Every structure is written in structure tokens, then in C-alpha cells.
Amino acid sequence: DAGVIQSPRHEVTEMGQEVTLRCKPISGHDYLFWYRQTMMRGLELLIYFNNNVPIDDSGMPEDRFSAKMPNASFSTLKIQPSEPRDSAVYFCASSFIRDAYGYTFGSGTRLTVV
Amino acid sequence: QQPVQSPQAVILREGEDAVINCSSSKALYSVHWYRQKHGEAPVFLMILLKGGEQKGHEKISASFNEKKQQSSLYLTASQLSYSGTYFCGTQGGSEKLVFGKGTKLTVNP
């Protein structure tokens, strides 16, 4: 299996622009998670899905953030409009039956908003 | 709700042992351990479930004290490849996995 695939690996955008991050989970995994990592706040859970349904989005910082999972093999995290404080590494992770096997993380997207 | 890890950083010589601790103020259902190398994604090491046994493989093992809401990761006879930042993640009553701020481990020759 190719693992969790995220794109793009790096994104540099200007403040106010829309940013879309993409994730392809491991086939057969039923949970998908979006995390954000910064030096100050560490790894923060933004939102997670179970069988394509959003379960908990309480970690989404503001209405500027939205996430979708239209099918079992694809998810997006969108920021509109982007701000410099959104600069971080965004990770997507997937897992099977929640606790049993741990999470497999993608390589992440390093977002820089200037 | 974020678990507290200690120490924040540790420096070892190759072959030495280390213990990393993770504690929570909430009752825990499970504890995960991950290692992240610089510029890479976190990699799953092991999971400990409430009522489960101590886990481990080779020279990395972990324990889970449910009453104290604590977990410890044990690295024995450390190797250069063990260098990285170790994160514990905890789950309480919900399905959320909340990560600690990490422990940076440096193993020198």
C-alpha cells in the first residue's frame, strides 16, 4: 500500500487566498483525521471522519476552515481566506477500527501564508 | 486535557537507556506512542489499551498505569536511529486522540 497520500507537499500563498489541502487515506481505513502542527501548539486535532461522516469538528479554529470527505478515498481541508497565522504543517492520518492499529500519518503539507 | 510529557528533552549516548513519561488529568481509555523525525510524519510505535498488558518489541516497550492515568515509554540500549521527538496521545471517553507536546530524544555516538 502507498500509505496516506497528501498533496501538495508545500504550499506558499498570499494572505486572503483560498487554500485546499488534499488527502487520500489507506484503502479500507474507516477513520480519517486532520491535524495541524506548530511549534507553539504541537499537534492539534482539527476534525475527524468515520465512514466519510464528520464526527467532531470542534478543533476547527474558525469558520474560515472547512473539511469534506465526499468518498472513502478522498478528503479536503479548505482555508478561505487564509491568514499568516494559519502557517503550519497539516497532517492527514487514517486508521482502521479506531484504537486497534494506531494512526498512519501522511507526509504532511507545509503551508506558508505570506 | 492535553497530556503532559516529561522530560521535554533528553540526550543519551548510544547504548544508554531512557524513560519518557506521559500523564493525564483525565481517566484514560488508551495511550498511543509515536516517534517523529525532523521533517517527517509521526510514526506509530504502539498502543496501550485500558486493561491491556504492557506492550513492546525489541528494545522499546511501554506500560500503562490506569489508576494513575500515566504511561511510560522505555528505550533500552538506545541506537542512533532512536533519535527524534516522541509523542504520547491519549484517549478518554471520546474518540479524540490528544497529543502531548513531545519529548526530544537525541542519541549521540
Side-chain angles (χ1 to χ4, degrees), chain A residues 8-73:
Chain A
R9 288 296 307 275
H10 302 273
E11 177 80 37
V12 180
T13 191
E14 291 185 348
M15 183 173 61
Q17 296 298 306
E18 177 180 296
V19 176
T20 299
L21 311 182
R22 297 172 176 80
C23 175
K24 176 179 169 57
I26 290 175
S27 177
H29 280 193
D30 54 352
Y31 281 85
L32 183 140
F33 308 85
W34 282 100
Y35 280 87
R36 178 172 68 176
Q37 186 175 36
T38 60
M39 288 295 293
M40 290 297 295
R41 301 174 70 92
L43 274 163
E44 299 175 274
L45 177 64
L46 300 177
I47 185 172
Y48 74 94
F49 297 82
N50 177 218
N51 292 322
N52 313 336
V53 177
I55 303 299
D56 188 332
D57 65 355
S58 60
M60 298 284 261
E62 299 170 31
D63 291 344
R64 299 183 296 106
F65 286 69
S66 63
K68 294 181 179 179
M69 192 165 185
N71 57 62
S73 59

Side-chain angles (χ1 to χ4, degrees), chain B:
Chain B
Q1 296 183 357
Q2 184 177 42
V4 177
Q5 289 186 231
S6 63
Q8 291 184 340
V10 58
I11 299 174
L12 302 174
R13 287 199 178 277
E14 204 172 3
E16 293 181 336
D17 302 340
V19 180
I20 300 172
N21 300 302
C22 175
S23 63
S24 174
S25 59
K26 294 181 62 175
L28 298 178
Y29 171 76
S30 71
V31 179
H32 294 218
W33 285 97
Y34 293 78
R35 177 171 62 209
Q36 184 179 31
K37 293 185 180 285
H38 183 69
E40 299 181 6
V43 174
F44 174 71
L45 294 176
M46 64 187 74
I47 182 172
L48 298 102
L49 301 176
K50 184 177 179 180
E53 298 177 353
Q54 180 167 339
K55 295 272 191 174
H57 70 96
E58 295 185 354
K59 299 173 182 175
I60 300 178
S61 62
S63 63
F64 181 19
N65 186 322
E66 298 162 23
K67 289 184 178 180
K68 292 186 176 180
Q69 294 145 209
Q70 293 176 346
S71 178
S72 295
L73 185 71
Y74 306 93
L75 300 107
T76 306
S78 58
Q79 305 170 14
L80 297 177
S81 61
Y82 287 4
S83 291
T85 301
Y86 289 78
F87 293 95
C88 70
T90 57
Q91 285 176 310
S94 74
E95 296 172 323
K96 283 185 183 180
L97 185 65
V98 181
F99 285 96
K101 291 198 170 183
T103 296
K104 185 175 182 179
L105 177 72
T106 303
V107 181
N108 293 319

